[in-house]
Amino acid sequence: MTHVLPELPYAYDALEPFFDEETMRLHHDKHHQAYVNNLNVALEKHSEFETLSVEDLLKDLNVLPEDIRTAVRNNAGGHFNHSLFWKMLAPNAGGLPTGEIAAGITEAFGSFDEFKAQFKAAAVGRFGSGWAWLVLDKAGKLKVTSTANQDNPIMNDEKAVLGLDVWEHAYYLKYRNLRPDYIEAFFSLVNWDFVNELYAKAK
Ligand code: MN
């Protein structure tokens, strides 16, 4: 099996004015495609791993041969993270959470505003490139984390229910150095229906 770039679930310009069309085109067609291509190149060297899903690859990197371990970590991670990220966004979305995750956030953080403050702090505070996450941890508790590079919480046995890409490629064309403005825009795009799906699966 070769890994394939999934289509965006909406038009490139559908997330305007929050995420601009040019960024979405580059981010999906070039950056995400590169992770997929590089993952396939790495796995060609050890074809016995070609049938594993990206999740299975990331869950136990130590079983992989050393010569492809870093490439798989970065590129299976990049493929998995971006595949989730596109679905975590939607046009005409954002605002307050709905459904089970709304109750879960209130229970874990006290309020949506407190969750949002913690998430923004994690996203602003991630030095260099990485992601901010809302995860369900091993104890079944919702918490905010961040990861470097293309690492995914699954590598720590935690399940992502919401994530934000804070690599500069995700925002620099429109927001330049203003990462906090990009983070605020993200909250106008969160697809709470999909977050609820992930939350239900994680539980
Ligand atoms: Mn990205």
Side-chain angles (χ1 to χ4, degrees):
M1 182 190 88
T2 21
H3 294 275
V4 178
L5 179 69
E7 297 228 353
L8 274 187
Y10 34 73
Y12 292 103
D13 64 356
L15 306 182
E16 294 269 10
F18 304 105
F19 289 5
D20 62 291
E21 177 177 356
E22 188 182 12
T23 297
M24 290 302 292
R25 283 188 185 280
L26 286 167
H27 200 175
H28 177 268
D29 296 5
K30 305 296 181 191
H31 291 278
H32 189 171
Q33 182 73 67
Y35 298 120
V36 172
N37 294 347
N38 291 334
L39 174 61
N40 287 329
V41 167
L43 293 176
E44 271 170 24
K45 294 178 199 149
H46 297 280
S47 57
E48 66 271 33
F49 297 102
E50 280 179 342
T51 54
L52 291 182
S53 69
V54 280
E55 283 174 271
D56 286 336
L57 287 166
L58 293 168
K59 265 182 209 161
D60 197 0
L61 288 163
N62 290 325
V63 305
L64 297 170
E66 215 185 329
D67 65 320
I68 63 166
R69 198 175 299 151
T70 300
V72 170
R73 178 179 185 161
N74 291 337
N75 293 292
H79 181 24
F80 186 42
N81 289 345
H82 288 83
S83 298
L84 287 170
F85 186 49
W86 308 134
K87 294 197 272 185
M88 288 166 172
L89 308 170
N92 308 312
L96 292 173
T98 55
E100 292 286 307
I101 195 66
I105 284 173
T106 304
E107 195 192 327
F109 300 95
S111 67
F112 176 67
D113 286 346
E114 175 56 27
F115 155 70
K116 195 172 157 184
Q118 286 188 30
F119 189 92
K120 285 173 87 167
V124 171
R126 166 51 56 191
F127 184 75
S129 297
W131 292 72
W133 302 100
L134 173 65
V135 302
L136 203 67
D137 72 9
K138 277 175 274 196
K141 204 173 169 314
L142 283 171
K143 70 173 191 193
V144 167
T145 64
S146 88
T147 55
N149 305 315
Q150 293 295 351
D151 286 357
N152 181 282
I154 203 172
M155 293 161 58
N156 298 322
D157 209 10
E158 295 176 334
K159 289 169 188 148
V161 296
L162 180 65
L164 176 60
D165 186 346
V166 297
W167 284 56
E168 284 188 344
H169 71 220
Y171 62 87
Y172 207 83
L173 286 179
K174 183 177 173 77
Y175 293 99
R176 302 296 163 178
N177 57 313
L178 302 176
R179 191 190 282 187
D181 291 0
Y182 160 74
I183 298 164
E184 190 55 44
F186 164 72
F187 278 99
S188 294
L189 296 172
V190 174
N191 179 357
W192 292 112
D193 290 341
F194 183 61
V195 173
N196 269 303
E197 269 178 52
L198 291 174
Y199 184 48
K201 245 190 275 177
K203 285 204 291 189

